[in-house]
Amino acid sequence: MKVRMSAFALACLAAGSAQAASFNCAHAFLPAEQTICGNANLSRLDEQTAGMYFIIVGSGAPEATITQVKASQSKFIAQRNACGTNVDCLVDAYTSQMMYLKNEKSNLGL
């Protein structure tokens, strides 16, 4: 009975952290992705960053702005992935990108 309950508890915990906003944790392959999926704070940062990105991209902003934001997001993802399992590096990467996206969002009046 204890084994079944422990397995159930582990399954519940895994289900609670199975999705970060920008990727499916069940398919997390890179060390950075696995670290994000295993850390609730990083998962929240991922969700917030992706949310701001999608708001801007879906806002009807000028094409030049969308192109710039998409390029910035691609650069950010490369920087994030280069952090590997370094949580401080990941937090810094997310913080920097969030500041950029908040500024762009503000410039667009969103």
Side-chain angles (χ1 to χ4, degrees):
M1 182 72 159
K2 285 184 181 181
V3 173
R4 287 164 112 185
M5 291 180 72
S6 295
F8 177 75
L10 286 173
C12 288
L13 288 173
S17 63
Q19 183 71 32
S22 65
F23 59 91
N24 184 337
C25 287
H27 300 273
F29 174 74
L30 299 173
E33 293 172 336
Q34 293 171 346
T35 301
I36 292 161
C37 290
N39 183 304
N41 291 329
L42 289 173
S43 225
R44 275 191 292 278
L45 286 173
D46 183 75
E47 182 178 318
Q48 292 168 351
T49 303
M52 279 192 279
Y53 169 78
F54 288 118
I55 286 170
I56 294 167
V57 169
S59 71
E63 190 60 37
T65 300
I66 299 298
T67 299
Q68 182 179 349
V69 168
K70 285 182 176 182
S72 173
Q73 192 74 359
S74 291
K75 183 179 175 184
F76 153 70
I77 290 170
Q79 290 172 335
R80 176 200 76 184
N81 291 343
C83 289
T85 61
N86 184 327
V87 173
D88 290 336
C89 179
L90 288 164
V91 169
D92 288 346
Y94 275 106
T95 302
S96 177
Q97 185 65 359
M98 285 177 62
M99 289 173 58
Y100 167 77
L101 292 171
K102 281 183 181 182
N103 187 50
E104 286 300 316
K105 207 171 123 188
S106 177
N107 288 343
L108 293 168
L110 300 174

